[in-house]
C-alpha cells in the first residue's frame, strides 16, 4: 500500500534523516527545509540523473550555473517586477494574510471569518540590499526562477561554445519565492530547487519541439520510478497562460493532496530573448515586449541555413527538484504485510536514486574479525564507484535489514562466521550473504564475485 | 609557463565559457559571477571529488544540505549578528567606501585622498524580508557560511543516523557576504560556494584530530593537481583568531595576487554546539557562550565509552569552491612553445576535473558517413559513464585539437576515412586516432578496444 498521507511521509522523513524543518531548534522557519544525510543523497542522485539525461546523453545541450543574487534590471525586463504577484487578502478579525486562490469558500482559514479585505497584488520576489550602503536604492533580487540566468547569458554561451540552432541550456539551482501560504511539506516552499532547460529553436519549429519535450520529460519521470497512472498531462487553458506563453503543458503527479504540477513545459516564444535585447525594433520580435533601453546586447543568433540572424523561440521544460523528491518518496514508500503477518516499510526506490547503494553488515558486532572483514569489504565495494556504501552496525541483523528496507538500500551484504572460516564450513570461507531489498531473497556470493555482482546490479 | 596574471585568466574564462560576470548585459552585478558551460562542469567535478573523498570513501562522515534562508536566531546565537563585521571608512572627498585592511597607505583607492572617516563596523550579512508582510520585523538572513546549518541540525542528525563520536557532517552549498570591496575575480565575491566539514570529537581529542585534518586536506588539494610549492600552511597568530577558535591553520595558495587562503581548518571548540543549546549551565561547556533562552534542544551526545553526555569539540575544514576553481585554473593554465616555435595554451587539468573528458572529431565535416560514425562513437563512449563526451565539428582538425587543449580535454578521438574503410587501408577499418592532450602523442586504436582504453585512462 503506497503512502497517501503527507503527515506519514513528513514524519518518516524526519525520523530517518531525509528532511528536517529549517531552524527547528528555534521554532522553525516557515516554508524552508533542510535535507538530512539521506535526503541530500536522494536529491543529489535525482539531480545527477537529470543532468546525465539532458546534458551528457545529448549533444545539443550545455550546462550553466548562474548566480542567485540577480541584477534588478534582469527581473525588471523579464516582467517579474510588474507581474510576478499573487492576489492576497487580509482577515480584518485575526489579521492573517492569505492567497485568494487558496481560500476555500472565501473564509479565513485561521478563524473562519468572512470579514476580509479586497484582494491586492503581493510581489513574491525576495529583495536584499547589496553593497556597503545601509540606506538607499542599491538592491538585488534573489532569483525566483533559474531561467532568466540562461536568457541573459545567451550571447556569452553562443559565442564561447559555438552553438547552432536548435540547442539548449540546462541549469539546476536554488530559486526563492516569498509564498504567502507555504504548504504541503516540500511542495510549496519559499526556498526550492529547479531543473530547467531553455531549448532554443527557429520560430516555426517551436510547436513540434514542444510536443517532443513533453514526451521526453514524461519518459524521464517514468524512468525515475513514478507510475504511469500517477502522472497526468494538463494543457493550460488559453485564458490562464502566463503573458509570455503560447502554450504550456503541465506534468501533474498524484500527490497526497491531489494531482498537482511536478513540471511545466512552456512555449515561451521569443518573449525572453526579445525582452532582454537592445535595439528591439531591428529584431523582428513576435512577442509583445517592453522597450529596453538598458541592455547592451542583441540576443539573437545566426541561422547558418538562411544566413540570417533570428531571435529564437524558447521551449522550457521546468521541473521542481523538491517536488520530484516528494513524488518519488510518495511513490516508493510502501507498507507490506509479510507471510508471518508482520509489517515492513520499504522504500522501493530505483537503485540509481537510493541514498545508500549497499549496506555491509557484520553479523556479530562484537567479533573484531568479522567487523574488520566487513569494514574491508565496505571499502572494496566503495571503490566500484556505484555510490555510497555504508557500514551498518547499529542493531541485530533483522533490525538492520528492516532499517535498510525503510531507507531504500537495494542490497545488504552480511559478513558472518562462515565468511571468516570460523564455522567449520570450509566451502563457505570468503563468501557473504547478499540480500535484495524488494524480493528479500538471499544469495551466498563468493568475495571473488562480489564486485561483478554489484556492478551488474547497478 | 603557468599563468600568473589574473586578467589573462579572466579573459580566458569568459572567452571559453568558464565564467561570466553576472548580469553582464545590464552592466554587471559587482562581486557576483555565473559559471558557463565549461565552468559548471569543472566546478561540479571538483565538488564531486570532495564529496567522494569525504562522504563516500570514509565511514564516519554523512552529508547535509541545509537552507540558505536562515532563521534570524541562528545567526544571533552563532555570534554573527554581533561580530561578523568589517571595519570600513568613507572617503570625504569622493564618497567611496573601503575596508580598512584593504587600503594600502591609508589612501582612498579611488581618488587618492587621505581625508577619510574613522573606521566603523559594517555587518556583512545579507537580510531579506520574509512572509507576506511588507513592513515590519519578519526577516531572514542569507547564510554567510554553511556551517551553522550543520550545528543547528546536530540533534536531528544524531537521532536519525545513530552517529557515535568521532563523526563528521559534510555540506556543499552557497553562502553570501556583502563584501565592501569584492576583488580578484572569483576570489573575494558576494555570492560563493563552500565545502565544509564539521567533525565532532570528544574534548581532549581535538588537537590531534585538528592536525590529522590539516594533513588530509593538504593531501586532497595535491590530488586535485595543485603543486606542493604553491601551497603553504599558515597558523593564525593567537591575537588574530576568531573569538570561538582555539587554533586555526590556513592552507594558502599562490594566487596571482599572492599567497592567500584557499581553505581554513579551525578548532572551534564547543562554542557552536554550546551557543545553540538550551540549559547551557547543565552542559559543562568550556567556551564562553551567550545565554540562550530561545533554543528548544540540548546539542550534546552520549559518549558510549563513559556513558556520559558530552558537548563535542568541532574541527572545521572549510574550503572555498570558487577559490578552488580559481587555484586549479591558475595552476593548470600553461602556455607552451612547440618545436615549430608555435605556441599553444593547455589547461593541464587532472582528468577527473576536466569539463569534457573526450572530444570525438570527424576529420571531414562534410562527409556524412564520417560524421555519422563520429556521432555513434560519441554516444557509445558516453555510456561508459566517465563524464561528458562531446562531438566537435567547429573547425579543422588542428584547430579542434588546440581548442580542446585550451579547455583541458584529456583525449581527442578522430574519425577519418580509414575508420570507415574509404582509404584503401583494410587493416585500418574501424580504427580511430586517439590523441593525448599533454604529450600530444597520437595512437591508432581499434574500436573494439576503445572502451577499455578510455576506462583505463580515467
Amino acid at each position: 500500500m503506497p503512502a497517501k498521507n503527507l503527515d506519514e511521509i513528513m514524519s518518516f522523513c524526519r525520523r530517518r534523516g531525509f528532511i528536517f524543518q529549517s531552524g527547528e531548534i528555534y521554532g522553525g522557519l516557515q516554508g524552508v527545509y533542510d535535507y538530512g544525510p539521506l535526503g541530500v543523497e536522494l536529491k543529489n542522485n535525482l539531480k545527477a540523473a537529470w543532468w546525465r539525461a539532458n546534458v551528457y546523453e545529448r549533444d545539443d545541450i550545455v550546462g550553466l550555473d548562474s548566480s542567485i543574487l540577480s541584477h534588478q534590471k534582469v527581473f525588471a525586463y523579464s516582467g517579474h517586477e510588474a507581474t510576478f504577484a499573487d492576489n492576497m487578502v487580509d482577515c480584518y478579525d485575526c489579521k492573517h494574510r492569505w492567497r485568494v486562490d487558496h481560500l476555500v469558500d472565501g473564509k479565513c482559514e485561521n478563524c473562519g471569518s468572512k470579514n476580509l479585505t479586497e484582494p491586492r497584488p503581493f510581489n513574491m520576489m525576495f529583495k536584499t540590499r547589496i553593497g556597503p550602503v545601509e540606506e538607499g536604492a542599491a538592491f538585488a533580487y534573489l532569483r525566483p526562477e533559474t531561467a532568466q540566468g540562461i536568457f541573459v547569458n545567451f550571447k556569452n554561451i553562443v559565442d564561447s561554445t559555438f552553438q547552432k540552432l536548435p540547442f539548449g541550456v540546462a541549469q539546476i539551482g536554488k530559486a526563492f519565492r516569498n509564498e504567502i501560504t507555504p504548504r504541503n511539506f516540500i511542495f510549496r516552499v519559499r526556498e526550492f530547487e529547479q531543473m530547467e532547460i531553455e531549448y532554443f529553436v527557429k520560430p516555426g519549429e517551436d510547436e513540434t519541439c514542444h510536443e517532443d519535450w513533453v514526451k521526453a520529460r514524461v519518459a524521464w519521470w517514468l524512468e525515475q520510478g513514478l507510475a504511469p497512472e500517477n502522472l497526468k498531462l494538463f494543457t493550460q487553458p488559453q485564458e490562464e497562460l502566463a503573458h509570455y506563453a503560447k502554450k504550456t503543458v503541465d506534468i501533474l503527479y498524484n500527490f497526497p493532496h491531489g494531482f498537482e504540477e511536478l513540471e511545466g513545459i512552456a512555449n515561451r516564444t521569443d518573449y525572453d530573448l526579445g525582452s532582454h535585447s537592445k535595439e528591439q525594433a531591428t529584431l523582428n520580435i513576435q512577442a509583445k515586449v517592453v522597450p529596453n533601453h538598458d541592455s547592451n546586447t542583441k540576443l539573437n543568433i545566426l541561422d547558418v541555413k538562411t544566413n540570417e540572424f533570428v531571435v529564437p523561440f524558447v521551449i522550457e521544460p521546468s521541473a521542481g527538484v523538491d517536488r520530484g523528491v516528494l513524488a518519488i518518496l510518495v511513490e516508493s514508500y510502501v507498507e507490506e504485510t509479510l507471510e508471518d503477518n508482520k509489517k515492513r516499510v520499504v522504500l522501493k526506490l530505483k537503485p540509481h536514486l537510493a541514498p545508500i547503494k549497499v549496506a555491509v553488515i557484520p553479523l556479530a558486532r562484537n567479533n573484531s574479525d568479522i567487523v574488520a572483514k566487513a569494514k574491508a569489504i565496505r571499502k572494496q565495494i566503495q571503490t566500484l564507484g556505484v555510490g555510497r556504501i555504508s557500514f551498518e552496525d547499529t542493531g541485530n541483523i533483522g533490525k538492520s535489514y528492516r532499517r535498510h528496507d525503510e531507507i531504500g538500500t537495494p542490497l545488504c551484504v552480511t559478513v558472518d562466521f562462515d565468511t571468516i572460516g570460523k564455522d567449520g564450513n570450509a566451502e563457505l570461507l570468503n563468501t557473504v550473504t547478499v540480500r535484495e531489498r524488494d524480493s528479500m531473497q538471499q544469495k551466498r556470493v563468493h568475495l571473488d564475485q562480489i564486485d561483478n555482482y554489484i556492478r551488474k546490479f547497478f
Side-chain angles (χ1 to χ4, degrees), chain A:
Chain A
M1 180 189 79
K4 285 286 157 232
N5 183 322
L6 206 54
D7 289 338
E8 192 177 10
I9 292 286
M10 283 176 70
S11 132
F12 163 78
C13 281
R14 187 175 184 282
R15 194 172 71 245
R16 287 309 187 201
F18 280 87
I19 299 165
F20 311 125
Q21 173 81 57
S22 177
E24 195 184 280
I25 68 168
Y26 293 115
L29 189 60
Q30 217 200 341
V32 184
Y33 289 88
D34 295 342
Y35 284 77
L38 297 181
V40 62
E41 300 290 346
L42 171 57
K43 187 165 75 147
N44 285 349
N45 291 341
L46 185 68
K47 292 193 284 183
W50 185 89
W51 196 265
R52 211 160 46 230
N54 291 297
V55 181
Y56 287 177
E57 288 172 11
R58 300 179 63 126
D59 51 18
D60 56 352
I61 296 187
V62 296
L64 185 80
D65 183 10
S66 68
S67 65
I68 289 168
L69 292 175
S70 304
H71 198 293
Q72 175 261 334
K73 293 221 185 299
V74 173
F75 287 100
Y77 286 106
S78 71
H80 285 77
E81 268 190 358
T83 64
F84 195 62
D86 279 333
N87 278 319
M88 61 178 189
V89 293
D90 291 311
C91 172
Y92 281 117
D93 293 330
C94 76
K95 312 296 178 204
H96 263 71
R97 183 167 281 183
W98 303 101
R99 250 177 81 170
V100 174
D101 59 340
H102 282 174
L103 286 187
V104 188
D105 304 327
K107 279 184 199 175
C108 173
E109 283 196 18
N110 186 50
C111 72
S113 165
K114 285 197 155 193
N115 193 11
L116 308 175
T117 64
E118 285 299 296
R120 285 173 299 175
F122 169 70
N123 195 295
M124 293 164 72
M125 286 196 289
F126 286 105
K127 280 180 188 182
T128 191
R129 276 201 294 260
I130 191 165
V133 183
E134 284 287 349
E135 312 295 326
F139 71 90
Y141 287 114
L142 307 195
R143 61 178 175 196
E145 62 177 31
T146 64
Q148 297 300 325
I150 298 177
F151 299 133
V152 297
N153 275 303
F154 180 78
K155 204 71 183 178
N156 277 333
I157 294 169
V158 169
D159 288 350
S160 60
T161 62
F162 314 103
Q163 299 299 324
K164 285 172 279 187
L165 292 180
F167 75 97
V169 181
Q171 175 162 226
I172 299 177
K174 289 271 178 96
F176 299 82
R177 295 180 186 179
N178 196 3
E179 294 281 351
I180 302 170
T181 43
R183 54 173 64 190
N184 295 320
F185 193 30
I186 54 171
F187 181 83
R188 186 173 303 285
V189 284
R190 289 175 172 153
E191 173 173 341
F192 56 102
E193 208 158 3
Q194 293 186 307
M195 307 185 283
E196 294 197 309
I197 296 161
E198 308 302 324
Y199 197 82
F200 301 100
V201 296
K202 221 179 133 169
E205 294 172 6
D206 52 307
E207 294 184 12
T208 315
C209 179
H210 186 260
E211 284 167 24
D212 292 344
W213 270 112
V214 172
K215 280 180 213 147
R217 295 304 303 146
V218 169
W220 186 83
W221 283 113
L222 294 175
E223 280 167 27
Q224 309 317 309
L226 302 187
E229 63 270 24
N230 287 329
L231 292 175
K232 216 191 253 182
L233 292 181
F234 173 73
T235 302
Q236 292 190 8
Q238 204 63 31
E239 63 274 16
E240 284 179 23
L241 282 178
H243 61 284
Y244 52 76
K246 179 171 163 186
K247 184 173 183 179
T248 298
V249 175
D250 290 339
I251 302 175
L252 311 182
Y253 179 74
N254 187 12
F255 289 103
H257 57 287
F259 272 98
E260 286 231 45
E261 184 187 344
L262 173 66
E263 171 159 353
I265 298 122
N267 181 343
R268 298 178 71 126
T269 73
D270 55 2
Y271 172 79
D272 303 282
L273 295 180
S275 292
H276 288 299
S277 283
K278 71 170 181 181
E279 297 167 24
Q280 292 159 320
T282 67
L283 294 179
N284 194 22
I285 299 165
Q286 297 184 33
K288 205 181 143 202
V289 297
V290 170
N292 190 324
H293 303 296
D294 292 303
S295 169
N296 57 32
T297 307
K298 288 184 194 176
L299 302 181
N300 58 2
I301 185 173
L302 187 71
D303 178 2
V304 286
K305 281 178 202 149
T306 61
N307 213 29
E308 283 175 357
F309 277 93
V310 297
V311 179
F313 270 40
V314 178
I315 308 300
E316 176 191 77
S318 170
V321 176
D322 312 84
R323 291 181 181 192
V325 167
L326 183 58
I328 284 162
L329 285 170
V330 167
E331 182 81 44
S332 58
Y333 184 96
V334 176
E335 268 183 48
E336 285 183 347
T337 305
L338 304 179
E339 282 183 10
D340 57 5
N341 253 332
K342 283 190 179 152
K343 289 205 168 152
R344 73 162 185 160
V345 169
V346 201
L347 203 60
K348 296 198 165 180
L349 296 170
K350 290 272 180 180
H352 73 279
L353 295 176
I356 296 171
K357 305 302 183 197
V358 181
V360 182
I361 309 171
L363 187 71
R365 285 192 281 167
N366 299 321
N367 183 299
S368 59
D369 291 343
I370 288 181
V371 167
K373 189 75 184 172
K375 286 196 170 177
I377 292 171
R378 189 207 77 83
K379 218 165 202 168
Q380 177 200 327
I381 297 176
Q382 187 65 66
T383 63
L384 303 180
V386 297
R388 189 162 170 225
I389 314 298
S390 109
F391 174 77
E392 168 67 55
D393 68 343
T394 61
N396 65 37
I397 186 73
K399 271 195 185 165
S400 294
Y401 285 157
R402 284 293 170 278
R403 179 170 172 238
H404 282 279
D405 286 345
E406 205 177 343
I407 64 175
T409 308
L411 294 180
C412 286
V413 169
T414 301
V415 178
D416 57 21
F417 289 95
D418 284 328
T419 314
I420 58 166
K422 285 276 170 67
D423 230 12
N425 255 329
E427 74 273 22
L428 293 180
L429 178 69
N430 283 325
T431 63
V432 289
T433 298
V434 179
R435 175 186 179 274
E436 202 270 321
R437 177 193 69 200
D438 295 347
S439 67
M440 294 186 287
Q441 285 189 345
Q442 304 189 7
K443 268 184 204 150
R444 201 76 193 175
V445 178
H446 197 278
L447 286 176
D448 288 350
Q449 291 305 313
I450 194 79
D451 287 6
N452 272 338
Y453 186 98
I454 285 167
R455 258 205 217 100
K456 220 169 150 187
F457 185 90
F458 287 100

